[in-house]
Amino acid sequence: MKSIRQITIMGLLLALTFSLSVLESALSSALPAGVRIGLANIVVMITLLTLGKKQAFTIVVLKSVFIFLTKGFTAFLMSAAGGILSFLVLLALIRNEKNSLLLISVISALVHNLSQLVTACFTLGNVNVLWYAPVLILAGTAAGLATGTAAGVVLPPIRKIIGNLTHNQP
């Protein structure tokens, strides 16, 4: 029974990730090129803090597959590079309980943006895209603050809900 609940929770979190990714795409037209809010990263942080690293990494990988299916190979490369590297940083930072969720979120967002920038350099074969780094650093800082704040607000009730769902109930 426990595994069915876990699969259900992961399915819901994945659906939320996909939905937030679609919403973010709609909102990104109002932002500078390449700038994203990182709404789906809220789900990754919540999953890591409530279910664990294996489940959170699964969300990261499946989000990148979703991006591949909906936006193509280049977008997949950018999503995978940013998602996997920022996830590794998230894992490293979360081990130190002195790090706030805001700090972790901002650094994770910056790593996400900078890894995508490096990926763009290799994909395009042109280092001139690095001139866009200041824009992505500002955007990453703002996005990290926003997603960290949102994760901090929703984490307590989500922990309670997931805790209730994962315990065996008669």
Side-chain angles (χ1 to χ4, degrees):
M1 212 42 151
K2 191 172 183 178
S3 64
I4 292 172
R5 287 187 182 123
Q6 289 175 341
I7 291 168
T8 302
I9 291 168
M10 282 297 292
L12 291 170
L13 290 170
L14 196 56
L16 181 58
T17 301
F18 294 165
S19 299
L20 289 173
S21 184
V22 170
L23 174 64
E24 189 172 56
S25 291
L27 297 174
S28 68
S29 62
L31 300 171
V35 172
R36 307 273 302 211
I37 301 167
L39 296 174
N41 296 330
I42 297 168
V43 180
V44 173
M45 286 188 285
I46 296 296
T47 304
L48 179 61
L49 293 167
T50 58
L51 298 177
K53 58 187 171 186
K54 180 181 174 186
Q55 292 85 349
F57 187 70
T58 300
I59 297 285
V60 169
V61 170
L62 292 177
K63 177 185 175 273
S64 294
V65 170
F66 176 74
I67 296 297
F68 172 70
L69 294 172
T70 58
K71 297 185 180 185
F73 185 71
T74 302
F76 164 76
L77 284 178
M78 303 295 268
S79 176
I84 291 169
L85 285 174
S86 67
F87 177 75
L88 293 174
V89 167
L90 184 65
L91 270 180
L93 292 173
I94 221 151
R95 289 184 180 164
N96 184 347
E97 293 180 13
K98 293 180 182 178
N99 291 333
S100 71
L101 194 54
L102 278 180
L103 175 69
I104 293 168
S105 181
V106 167
I107 293 173
S108 181
L110 290 172
V111 167
H112 194 280
N113 283 355
L114 295 177
S115 63
Q116 286 185 329
L117 200 57
V118 170
T119 302
C121 285
F122 285 109
T123 303
L124 298 172
N126 189 339
V127 296
N128 287 329
V129 296
L130 293 176
W131 286 102
Y132 205 56
V135 172
L136 292 181
I137 289 170
L138 288 172
T141 301
L145 288 170
T147 58
T149 300
V153 168
V154 301
L155 184 59
I158 295 286
R159 271 192 172 139
K160 187 175 182 180
I161 292 167
I162 288 177
N164 290 339
L165 291 175
T166 56
H167 290 89
N168 285 332
Q169 299 171 356

